[in-house]
Amino acid sequence: MEDEPLDEWAARRDARRPEPGDRKAVPLGEGPDGGSHVDPDAPRGMLEWDGYQWIPSGVADDQAVAAQESAQDAAERVALPRFNALPPAPERPFRPTEVFRRL
């Protein structure tokens, strides 16, 4: 297997990283961190990416307010997969190419 050139790897990594100023919300409270569906009425801590780390930038009253504050077009930066990157799906019903028999 060939090693990927460092500049290509760095470009892929930088494309996935947040941009400075991007925000995200994390739940504040006793429970484990979860998605937006976990305790939506709980206050949320707002974090902002400074290019190196996530730093606290404020507190939102609930998930709805946090979603408005962290609204961004991050989906536009996500690279789409190549077409035909996956092998074609097997025909239905799938039958293995080898016959398996119990002895």
Side-chain angles (χ1 to χ4, degrees):
M1 180 175 165
E2 290 187 29
D3 289 336
E4 179 180 16
L6 184 59
D7 56 342
E8 290 179 17
W9 172 83
R12 275 191 312 108
R13 184 194 67 172
D14 290 341
R16 289 191 313 262
R17 294 183 80 172
E19 293 180 357
D22 283 356
R23 293 181 180 172
K24 71 177 184 177
V26 294
L28 300 175
E30 299 288 326
D33 290 347
S36 60
H37 65 282
V38 177
D39 200 11
D41 296 328
R44 302 287 200 240
M46 299 300 297
L47 302 177
E48 186 170 335
W49 183 253
D50 68 354
Y52 177 70
Q53 63 185 349
W54 291 103
I55 56 172
S57 64
V59 177
D61 292 333
D62 58 10
Q63 175 56 31
V65 174
Q68 290 173 352
E69 290 296 320
S70 63
Q72 54 188 334
D73 296 328
E76 293 177 4
R77 295 193 326 258
V78 176
L80 297 174
R82 297 177 299 143
F83 289 109
N84 299 329
L86 298 175
E91 296 177 11
R92 301 275 183 218
F94 174 72
R95 292 187 172 74
T97 56
E98 295 181 34
V99 177
F100 294 97
R101 301 188 190 277
R102 290 184 185 211
L103 299 176

